[in-house]
Every structure is written in C-alpha cells, then in structure tokens.
Amino acid sequence: MRIMNIFMLTMFIQLIFTINSEYVKSDGLKIFSTSPIGPYKLIFKQTYSVNLAKNNTIQCNYYLSHRDNKTFIFGNTTLNIPFDDTLFLELKMALKDSSGRWKENLYMQKWPNACSSLKKIIGNTWTAFVYGLGINHTNCPLPTGFHTGRGLDTSLFKYSNLPKTFLYGTYKVYFYFLQKNEIVGGQVYILEFKRP
C-alpha cells in the first residue's frame, strides 16, 4: 500500500510539472513553451521534381513564389495517364537534425486509390487545390493533358485534413505516384513546421 501511495504522489507531481511547463501565461494568453510538438505554422522552403532523368508519365514541374507575405506554388503538370484510383500515393519524410543532416525514412505511408486518397487528405480545399494547379476538373479521375497552374496559395493547407499538431522541425517530404510498384511521378518539398 505504501508503494502505491508513493507511486500516486510521484505521478501527481509529474502531472503538475508537465502542465506547468507545457504552457506559459503571457498577457493572459496560453502559448507553448518547451513542447517539441504542437500547433504549427507551415512554411514551404523549396520544391523540386522526382526522377528528373526519367520520362515520367506524371510530370510535376512546380516552383515556389513569395509575394505579399504569402507563398504560392506555380508551374505545370503533365498527365500522360489519368490521375485515378488505379495509382498509389506514397509519402516519405526525412527530418533535418541539429547538425544539418537528413534522417531519411523517418515516416512512411502508402495509400491505395491515389486520387480519392489525395482528395480526402486535402479536404475542403480540394477545389482551390486543383484549380491552383491549373486542373479545371474536381472529380476523380483527373484528366490527361498539360495543365498550367494559376498559383496555389500554400496557406490553404491549414484548412485541409492534415494533422493540426506536429513535431517541430524542418522536413524533406517526398510524394510519389506509383503504378504497379513503379514510380510514375512525384514531387519533393522542404517544409518547416514552426511554432505559430
């Protein structure tokens, strides 16, 4: 019984320290202080295409443009095949450590039904997403052709179905489109998840 009481007291003290260190009051507002995970501001730092040497059937040629304190994704997409649910969507993430090296394959996820899965991830911003990339079609499958983007405002991602809290840091995020386990296109983004 005495061991149980000591254990409960230790847990209670640890809980109080956790609550006190997680939040700092500043002018009546609660803000994160020392937690490595929490709500974030997503900053797009760089983007480039996957497998430039290969003639991919899905070619994403995007670049970032910064203006009026906003970041936009511009460029074009060539779909030699429809972007449909026969494809797979694969995501791999690498984290930049304190010495500037990338820790590869920190997180990996693969979804079947690429078009429907991407639409579900993007959520309510799907229409703005596809129009920003120059695709004038909002239903799956997305049609073949050459699509020139009007500009996708990256601030729209905060309204998507992406997680609302994340581990802070700089990540290299690889998006691949696969057909029969072969990469047919993709894009790489360098993103920073920063305290708001």
Side-chain angles (χ1 to χ4, degrees), residues 12-75:
F12 180 72
I13 291 171
Q14 186 177 10
L15 176 65
I16 289 174
F17 280 119
T18 302
I19 291 171
N20 286 337
S21 67
E22 197 169 318
Y23 294 100
V24 173
K25 290 193 175 190
S26 171
D27 299 320
L29 299 173
K30 290 182 178 180
I31 57 173
F32 276 102
S33 62
T34 58
S35 179
I37 189 171
Y40 58 87
K41 179 179 180 182
L42 184 59
I43 299 170
F44 283 71
K45 300 180 87 90
Q46 184 182 356
T47 185
Y48 55 91
S49 297
V50 171
N51 291 341
L52 289 173
K54 289 181 75 175
N55 190 13
N56 292 321
T57 53
I58 297 177
Q59 297 173 19
C60 303
N61 301 301
Y62 304 138
Y63 64 93
L64 300 178
S65 176
H66 306 279
R67 58 181 167 174
D68 299 328
N69 291 327
K70 290 185 176 183
T71 303
F72 292 88
I73 299 173
F74 285 100

Side-chain angles (χ1 to χ4, degrees), residues 52-173:
L52 289 173
K54 289 181 75 175
N55 190 13
N56 292 321
T57 53
I58 297 177
Q59 297 173 19
C60 303
N61 301 301
Y62 304 138
Y63 64 93
L64 300 178
S65 176
H66 306 279
R67 58 181 167 174
D68 299 328
N69 291 327
K70 290 185 176 183
T71 303
F72 292 88
I73 299 173
F74 285 100
N76 60 67
T77 308
T78 303
L79 297 174
N80 293 318
I81 59 172
F83 186 73
D84 60 18
D85 285 344
T86 63
L87 301 173
F88 281 79
L89 174 65
E90 186 174 63
L91 171 121
K92 292 184 181 181
M93 295 178 77
L95 175 65
K96 187 182 259 188
D97 66 17
S98 58
S99 59
R101 291 183 303 239
W102 292 106
K103 291 185 177 181
E104 295 291 336
N105 300 326
L106 178 73
Y107 177 79
M108 295 181 288
Q109 178 72 40
K110 189 174 182 180
W111 295 272
N113 308 318
C115 188
S116 297
S117 295
L118 185 59
K119 189 173 184 177
K120 195 178 294 181
I121 293 166
I122 300 299
N124 294 333
T125 61
W126 174 254
T127 301
F129 178 81
V130 292
Y131 285 166
L133 297 177
I135 302 169
N136 296 321
H137 188 79
T138 58
N139 294 322
C140 290
L142 300 179
T144 59
F146 180 79
H147 309 280
T148 302
R150 301 176 187 93
L152 172 62
D153 184 352
T154 60
S155 67
L156 290 174
F157 285 98
K158 69 182 169 186
Y159 305 111
S160 70
N161 292 329
L162 294 173
K164 301 305 177 203
T165 60
F166 208 79
L167 184 67
Y168 300 125
T170 302
Y171 294 85
K172 189 186 295 184
V173 182

